[in-house]
Amino acid sequence: MPSPLFTQPPWPAIQAQIASSLKTHFSLEKITSTGGGCINATYHIQGNGQHYFVKLNKAHYLPMFEAEAAGLIEIKNTGTLRAPEPQCWGQADGSAWLVMEYLDLTGPGKSCGEALGLGLANMHRTFSSHYGWTRDNTIGTTLQKNDVSSDWIDFWRQQRLGYQLQLASANGHTGKLQKRGEQLLLRLEGFFTNTPIRASLLHGDLWGGNYAFDSSGQPVIFDPAVYYGDREADLAMTELFGGFPSSFYASYQNAYPLDTGYRTRKTLYNLYHILNHLNLFGGGYLHQAEQMLDRLLAEVK
């Protein structure tokens, strides 16, 4: 994992790029660390009555920020859910950054879950003729391949589960995991009998830490790993770590009902994220991945 710690962020270069890219006078007056997570350092910066949110990392992570900016724009262009608007991005002095609109986020109100469910359902009605996306991006810091495909099962086999299993093997996770994984890859068709899959715009990394609400109660989603695929993959991840209210699910289901096969396929989709956590954070996720593989294989004898 990259270190989010920086001895001296390149604030003069960031200040200059904000002024140049946005064609505005900007002079840094206040810098407040917002803590960030295990990937990036994050800051709220202010100057001349303007506020921005900044992500910082090492210079070679600039493509990660470029892909994130493109994903935020893809979401914003749907007009369905609010996402922070990317302002500019670049690198200097060994650091890369992404400057975004600063949003004052608060806790959810009574009807916020309903608004999030409806907004996501509407976003999922943004369709493509193919699965994948125009560029690769990252899931965490792992490369997420998005080569365009006309076959969803093949896409999930090769660019999602297969790719993560290859990484796991390279990381020393062989044996049962790989044997069961190979068996599952050969049987994926069994999960999609008479189930046509439309290529919907997905957030791609929709866990409880990647949404919030603005001061008016409008839902906001951020930190995307977008691509076009089965909308069930987004819904599945919302259930993986919790953090979404029952009103969210009721609202989504009312607006865009799910197929009954989702209850089984959600494990198939969440296996991708558990394998990614195994590859990012180590063996603590191995047993969970093996259990999920056993459960899935029992569904398709």
Side-chain angles (χ1 to χ4, degrees):
M1 299 291 287
S3 170
L5 302 178
F6 299 86
T7 55
Q8 182 56 51
W11 295 119
I14 294 171
Q15 174 182 274
Q17 193 194 40
I18 291 173
S20 174
S21 298
L22 303 182
K23 296 180 173 57
T24 182
H25 176 66
F26 182 73
S27 179
L28 265 173
E29 297 170 359
K30 186 176 182 181
I31 301 168
T32 305
S33 172
T34 59
C38 60
I39 296 178
N40 304 300
T42 59
Y43 299 87
H44 170 201
I45 65 172
Q46 303 172 58
N48 308 104
Q50 302 165 69
H51 296 250
Y52 299 103
F53 183 76
V54 180
K55 287 186 174 184
L56 277 166
N57 213 311
K58 296 177 181 177
H60 64 274
Y61 284 95
L62 179 60
M64 178 177 72
F65 288 148
E66 292 173 332
E68 179 177 348
L72 290 169
I73 292 169
E74 191 93 2
I75 290 170
K76 287 182 66 65
N77 285 344
T78 69
T80 56
L81 280 170
R82 187 174 188 185
E85 183 173 355
Q87 304 292 324
C88 57
W89 48 91
Q91 63 182 49
D93 302 329
S95 297
W97 61 81
L98 171 61
V99 179
M100 292 179 281
E101 169 188 17
Y102 178 79
L103 298 175
D104 185 16
L105 301 177
T106 63
K110 183 176 181 181
S111 63
C112 290
E114 296 175 9
L116 179 63
L118 177 60
L120 186 66
N122 289 334
M123 191 183 89
H124 284 167
R125 288 193 174 92
T126 303
F127 300 114
S128 171
S129 58
H130 291 82
Y131 309 105
W133 197 33
T134 55
R135 63 185 300 159
D136 295 338
N137 48 20
T138 56
I139 183 76
T141 55
T142 306
L143 173 67
Q144 180 167 266
K145 295 178 65 62
N146 291 316
D147 295 343
V148 170
S149 173
S150 60
D151 186 319
W152 171 246
I153 297 174
D154 187 61
F155 178 89
W156 197 256
R157 176 185 290 120
Q158 295 194 29
Q159 300 191 56
R160 293 296 181 264
L161 295 184
Y163 181 71
Q164 289 287 346
L165 285 166
Q166 290 171 16
L167 292 178
S169 179
N171 288 330
H173 302 297
T174 56
K176 178 181 176 180
L177 180 76
Q178 297 298 326
K179 182 179 179 180
R180 295 287 193 271
E182 290 172 6
Q183 292 171 344
L184 180 65
L185 294 181
L186 293 173
R187 302 180 190 178
L188 287 185
E189 283 81 2
F191 293 94
F192 297 93
T193 306
N194 300 318
T195 306
I197 304 298
R198 299 196 70 177
S200 297
L201 176 61
L202 307 184
H203 176 281
D205 195 11
L206 194 57
W207 67 288
N210 284 348
Y211 81 92
F213 300 88
D214 65 19
S215 57
S216 68
Q218 183 179 2
V220 181
I221 57 175
F222 39 84
D223 293 349
V226 307
Y227 63 99
Y228 285 84
D230 186 356
R231 64 194 177 99
E232 291 181 355
D234 261 357
L235 269 295
M237 194 179 189
T238 68
E239 296 193 57
L240 183 58
F241 301 116
F244 288 76
S246 59
S247 59
F248 161 79
Y249 297 103
S251 177
Y252 186 98
Q253 182 73 3
N254 183 62
Y256 199 175
L258 292 164
D259 184 89
T260 54
Y262 164 71
R263 305 317 304 173
T264 298
R265 286 189 294 271
K266 73 174 183 178
T267 303
L268 179 70
Y269 291 140
N270 282 339
L271 176 61
Y272 170 62
H273 296 292
I274 294 302
L275 287 171
N276 186 48
H277 276 62
L278 171 64
N279 287 316
L280 288 173
F281 305 117
Y285 290 91
L286 178 60
H287 182 60
Q288 185 177 2
E290 291 175 342
Q291 284 186 318
M292 294 171 80
L293 282 163
D294 287 342
R295 195 181 319 144
L296 289 164
L297 287 169
E299 295 285 342
V300 283
K301 291 292 187 180

